């Protein structure tokens, strides 16, 4: 083998391993910080006796196996479009198989719920992660009596710094996320292994019979406890949602490493609690301090860094999902800023960013302790996992992949059992995640239904009918020099504002181009087709992937279009009903379609028309 060939192979191997390291920073932050609070929360409900701990650890192991390894690492990642994953992808994969209109509507609604629940979960993730790490300060000598308000202020300042830096982009510091998480997982594994090595029989708790016997002896406590056991799997959904950024193989390799480290940490905490039953308030911090008091403060700093990374992954994920929702026209347009010159997938949505920040601060000061926050955490995650299980089961059933279908049904049923358990959290604060999730869900329903009503009320004109009138008017009129763009929602019908502009107002350019942007069922890719409709008028049809960051000006330059003016419909909505008045308000404060794609404002002309709905 030549030296050059060896060099190429080594370079590829290093590149692949670096992708695994990057996956640990991007994907596994949330689930990787779960050991900070999971065992502690469970032990507030159940005394850490030998029988109880073996049952708890058995539940943790099999929860991570069923919900993360089987449901996401194996099944979900096998379903993708051009390597992309997520709830929207599952919906797009399923819709072609469904012919019934009502079934299509039901699947779409499931997708709406999935997107909304992710946001509900995304608010609590930074709050519980950061606060649980900051609470480790009280184990530092001379800081045991640190007031609760001080801990809350520190957590709030960390959260503020995290959200404030979003506008500048995190691309420069993101390269450090992976190595930091590698150190974090190695720290968890090392400390856990030290205590496991003192009693290797703790690994016997991997036997599912311990979980089964515990459930038989304590059925009600088991049902209640499942809502807290689920905390060990929160963040597992990121394996699928972030697959498009990294690829399936690096994510699976990363999960193998993370899974081993997490199991060592959980089982190490179990072994530590057998000999230190009083350390139930914070077993991870207690056993780290017992392992090496000198390393405790550096470990605490590392913990805070890991929780910030976990929160960052959730924020970026929400930005990405909402952008998909905007491009697929199920969510109002918000102003989007691109924070990277190299990667257009790095985006910032200011209004969403500060909405999340305010919600995080509210969560911190309402609950005040990570233990109480855990009472609200998990409901949205379990709901999202249940929806994933349902959608996957249907896809595998249509594809006649029976083995995968059976496992999907089993994992989906498991998720649903956890969801039922989490419903008991509602009176204890779980309603907060539902309240937060109801805001985007309400916006989605209001916007999609409002758009349908609005489009009907504007009475679009059939393309053939429009062209008959155009062919009669164009030769007679005087034409403004240059090119004008007119945006249309659909290619086969012409918005009334275009007819009003050309025929009533007599505004026709030498060249008129109707532009229609249509989201495709593929996640990525942009295809454009410019076709003449008649003398002086063309149709530019753009098919764009729902995860694609569309650069409209680049497309126009490629087509040799140097537009002078850009027209778009600017509707003034009138209604007597309160919910349509709210829809009107949302439309008014949202950027127009043309503004959303960052066209120069001096070229934009909104053609106003009153619409009653």
């Amino acid at each position: 083998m030549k030296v050059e060939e060896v060099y190429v192979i080594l370079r590829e191997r290093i590149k692949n391993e670096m992708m695994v390291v990057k996956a640990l920073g991007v994907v596994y932050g949330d689930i990787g910080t779960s050991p900070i609070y999971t065992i502690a929360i469970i032990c507030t409900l159940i005394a850490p006796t030998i029988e109880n701990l073996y049952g708890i650890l058995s539940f943790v192991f099999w929860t991570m196996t069923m919900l993360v390894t089987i449901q996401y690492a194996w099944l979900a990642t096998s379903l993708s479009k051009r390597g992309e994953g997520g709830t929207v992808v599952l919906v797009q994969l399923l819709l072609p198989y469904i012919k019934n209109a009502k079934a299509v509507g039901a699947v779409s609604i499931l997708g709406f719920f999935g997107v909304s629940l992710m946001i509900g979960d995304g608010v609590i993730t930074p709050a519980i992660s950061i606060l649980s790490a900051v609470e480790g300060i009280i184990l530092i000598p001379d800081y045991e009596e640190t007031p609760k308000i001080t801990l809350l202020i520190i957590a709030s300042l960390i959260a503020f710094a995290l959200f404030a830096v979003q506008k500048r982009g995190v691309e420069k510091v993101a390269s450090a996320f992976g190595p930091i998480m590698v150190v974090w997982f190695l720290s968890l594994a090392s400390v856990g292994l030290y205590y496991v090595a003192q009693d290797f029989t703790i690994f016997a708790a991997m036997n599912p019979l311990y979980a089964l016997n515990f459930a038989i002896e304590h059925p009600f406590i088991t049902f209640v406890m499942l809502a807290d056991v689920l905390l060990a799997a929160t963040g597992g959904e990121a394996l699928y949602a972030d697959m498009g950024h990294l690829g399936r193989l690096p994510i699976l390799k990363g999960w193998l490493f993370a899974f081993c480290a997490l199991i060592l940490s959980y089982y190490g905490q179990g072994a530590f609690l057998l000999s230190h039953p009083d350390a139930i308030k914070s077993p991870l911090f207690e056993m780290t301090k017992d392992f090496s008091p000198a390393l405790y403060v550096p470990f605490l700093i590392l913990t805070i860094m890991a929780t910030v990374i976990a929160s960052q992954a959730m924020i970026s994920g929400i930005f990405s999902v909402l952008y998909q929702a905007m491009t697929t026209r199920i969510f109002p347009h918000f102003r989007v800023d691109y924070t990277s010159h190299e990667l257009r997938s790095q985006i910032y949505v200011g209004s969403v960013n500060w909405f999340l920040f305010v919600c995080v601060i509210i969560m911190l000061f309402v609950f005040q302790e990570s233990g109480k926050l855990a009472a609200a955490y998990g409901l949205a995650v379990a709901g999202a996992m249940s929806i994933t299980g349902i959608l996957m089961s249907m896809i595998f059933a249509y594809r006649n992949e029976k083995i995968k279908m059976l496992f999907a049904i089993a994992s989906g049923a498991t998720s649903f059992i956890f969801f039922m358990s989490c419903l008991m959290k509602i009176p204890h604060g779980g309603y907060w995640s539902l309240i937060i999730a109801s805001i985007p869900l309400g916006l989605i329903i209001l916007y999609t239904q409002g758009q349908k009503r609005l489009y009907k009320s504007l009475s679009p004109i059939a393309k053939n009918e429009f062209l008959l009138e155009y062919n009669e008017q164009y030769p007679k009129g005087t034409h403004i020099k240059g090119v004008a763009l007119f945006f249309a929602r659909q290619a086969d019908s012409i918005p009334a504002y275009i007819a009003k502009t050309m025929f009533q107002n007599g505004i026709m350019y030498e060249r008129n181009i109707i532009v229609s942007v249509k989201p495709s069922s593929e996640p990525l890719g942009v295809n454009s087709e410019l076709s003449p409709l008649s003398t002086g008028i063309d149709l530019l049809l753009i098919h764009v992937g729902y995860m694609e960051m569309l650069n409209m000006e680049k497309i126009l330059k490629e087509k040799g279009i140097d537009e002078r003016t850009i027209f778009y419909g600017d509707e003034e909505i009138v209604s007597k009903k309160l919910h349509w008045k709210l829809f009107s308000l949302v439309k008014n404060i949202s950027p127009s379609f043309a503004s959303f794609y960052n066209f120069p404002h001096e070229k934009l002309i909104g053609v106003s028309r009153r619409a009653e709905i």
Side-chain angles (χ1 to χ4, degrees), residues 5-291:
E5 292 176 348
V6 173
Y7 173 74
V8 170
I9 292 171
L10 285 174
R11 188 175 64 180
E12 281 300 310
R13 233 173 232 185
I14 292 170
K15 183 181 177 181
N16 291 336
E17 295 308 314
M18 288 305 297
M19 288 298 288
V20 176
V21 172
K22 188 176 180 182
L24 291 170
V26 173
V27 178
Y28 297 109
D30 189 1
I31 197 170
T33 52
S34 295
I36 300 171
Y37 47 79
T38 300
I39 299 296
I41 300 303
I42 296 171
C43 287
T44 60
L45 184 67
I46 303 160
T49 62
I50 294 176
E51 294 81 7
N52 289 348
L53 278 173
Y54 272 53
I56 292 167
L57 292 174
S58 184
F59 269 113
V60 168
F61 177 83
W62 287 103
T63 297
M64 291 174 66
T65 300
M66 281 296 293
L67 298 187
V68 185
T69 303
I70 292 177
Q71 179 161 307
Y72 284 103
W74 175 36
L75 297 176
T77 60
S78 70
L79 296 171
S80 67
K81 273 199 166 189
R82 292 194 181 181
E84 297 290 344
T87 304
V88 177
V89 169
L90 288 178
V91 172
Q92 295 295 332
L93 285 171
L94 183 56
L95 287 178
Y97 294 108
I98 301 173
K99 308 304 178 186
N100 186 287
K102 289 184 178 179
V104 169
V107 169
S108 299
I109 289 171
L110 277 178
F112 296 167
F113 274 107
V115 170
S116 303
L117 287 171
M118 180 184 178
I119 296 172
D121 172 43
V123 167
I124 300 177
T125 297
I128 191 172
S129 299
I130 294 171
L131 185 57
S132 61
V134 170
E135 285 173 346
I137 292 172
I138 61 177
L139 293 180
I140 300 174
D142 300 328
Y143 288 90
E144 294 90 346
E145 303 300 323
T146 303
K148 189 183 293 183
I149 187 66
T150 303
L151 297 177
L152 289 171
I153 290 172
I154 293 171
S156 300
L157 290 173
I158 293 171
F160 175 76
L162 172 66
F163 283 96
V165 78
Q166 298 300 315
K167 188 171 184 179
R168 297 184 180 182
V170 293
E171 183 186 359
K172 292 180 181 178
V173 294
S175 58
F177 287 178
I180 291 171
M181 290 307 296
V182 169
V183 175
W184 168 252
F185 281 116
L186 288 174
S187 301
L188 289 180
S190 301
V191 178
L193 182 60
Y194 174 79
Y195 288 98
V196 165
Q198 296 176 20
D199 184 11
F200 279 113
T201 58
I202 195 76
F203 281 132
M206 291 181 183
N207 188 334
L209 289 177
Y210 283 103
L212 184 62
N213 290 335
F214 184 90
I216 292 170
E217 290 178 20
H218 312 284
F220 179 73
I221 291 176
T222 299
F223 184 71
V224 175
M225 183 188 74
L226 287 178
D228 294 329
V229 173
L230 180 67
L231 298 175
T234 54
E237 64 276 10
L239 272 75
Y240 187 44
D242 292 323
M243 188 169 66
H245 300 297
L246 301 158
R248 188 187 187 201
L249 191 59
I251 283 180
L252 295 183
K253 285 183 177 179
W255 174 237
L256 181 63
F257 174 73
F259 180 75
C260 294
L262 291 171
I263 291 300
L264 284 173
S265 180
Y266 285 124
Y267 277 66
Q269 289 180 55
F272 178 76
L273 284 172
L274 288 175
S275 56
H276 301 79
D278 296 330
I280 58 172
K281 192 169 184 181
S282 186
L284 178 64
F285 288 136
E286 291 277 9
M287 79 174 186
T288 305
K289 186 179 179 183
D290 182 75
F291 172 74

Side-chain angles (χ1 to χ4, degrees), residues 174-448:
S175 58
F177 287 178
I180 291 171
M181 290 307 296
V182 169
V183 175
W184 168 252
F185 281 116
L186 288 174
S187 301
L188 289 180
S190 301
V191 178
L193 182 60
Y194 174 79
Y195 288 98
V196 165
Q198 296 176 20
D199 184 11
F200 279 113
T201 58
I202 195 76
F203 281 132
M206 291 181 183
N207 188 334
L209 289 177
Y210 283 103
L212 184 62
N213 290 335
F214 184 90
I216 292 170
E217 290 178 20
H218 312 284
F220 179 73
I221 291 176
T222 299
F223 184 71
V224 175
M225 183 188 74
L226 287 178
D228 294 329
V229 173
L230 180 67
L231 298 175
T234 54
E237 64 276 10
L239 272 75
Y240 187 44
D242 292 323
M243 188 169 66
H245 300 297
L246 301 158
R248 188 187 187 201
L249 191 59
I251 283 180
L252 295 183
K253 285 183 177 179
W255 174 237
L256 181 63
F257 174 73
F259 180 75
C260 294
L262 291 171
I263 291 300
L264 284 173
S265 180
Y266 285 124
Y267 277 66
Q269 289 180 55
F272 178 76
L273 284 172
L274 288 175
S275 56
H276 301 79
D278 296 330
I280 58 172
K281 192 169 184 181
S282 186
L284 178 64
F285 288 136
E286 291 277 9
M287 79 174 186
T288 305
K289 186 179 179 183
D290 182 75
F291 172 74
S292 176
L295 293 176
Y296 179 71
V297 173
F299 179 78
L300 181 61
I301 295 170
L302 178 63
T303 304
I304 293 172
M305 292 169 70
T307 56
V308 168
I309 292 170
S311 304
Q312 173 59 53
M314 181 58 72
I315 295 166
S316 298
I318 290 175
F319 286 165
S320 178
V321 166
L322 285 183
Y323 186 85
Q324 294 173 36
M326 290 181 219
T327 56
T328 51
R329 299 172 183 170
I330 66 170
F331 204 78
H333 286 155
F334 290 156
R335 178 178 171 80
V336 175
D337 294 312
Y338 300 95
T339 59
S340 169
H341 294 294
E342 288 77 26
L343 296 172
R344 285 182 64 83
S345 59
Q346 296 290 323
I347 60 174
Y348 169 75
V349 187
S351 51
V352 175
N353 184 69
W354 293 112
F355 167 76
L356 291 174
F357 171 71
V358 170
C359 289
V360 167
I361 297 302
I362 290 172
M363 293 296 99
L364 286 173
F365 282 90
V366 166
F367 291 97
Q368 300 188 355
E369 296 176 12
S370 61
K372 292 179 179 177
L373 262 169
Y377 195 37
L379 181 60
V381 181
M385 287 181 170
S386 300
I387 290 170
T388 299
I390 293 169
L391 295 175
M392 287 196 307
S393 300
M394 294 174 70
I395 292 169
F396 289 131
Y398 279 113
R399 290 183 174 183
N400 202 29
E401 297 182 43
K402 293 180 181 178
I403 294 176
K404 286 186 176 181
M405 181 192 73
L406 291 174
F407 275 101
I409 291 171
S411 65
T414 305
S415 300
F416 187 72
I417 292 169
F418 277 100
F419 178 70
M420 295 301 292
S421 174
C422 288
L423 289 176
M424 298 186 71
K425 288 188 171 188
I426 291 176
H428 305 287
Y431 57 85
W432 276 103
S433 59
L434 295 180
I435 290 172
I436 295 164
S438 69
I439 295 173
L441 180 61
L443 265 178
I444 289 171
I445 294 171
L446 180 70
Y447 187 74
T448 52

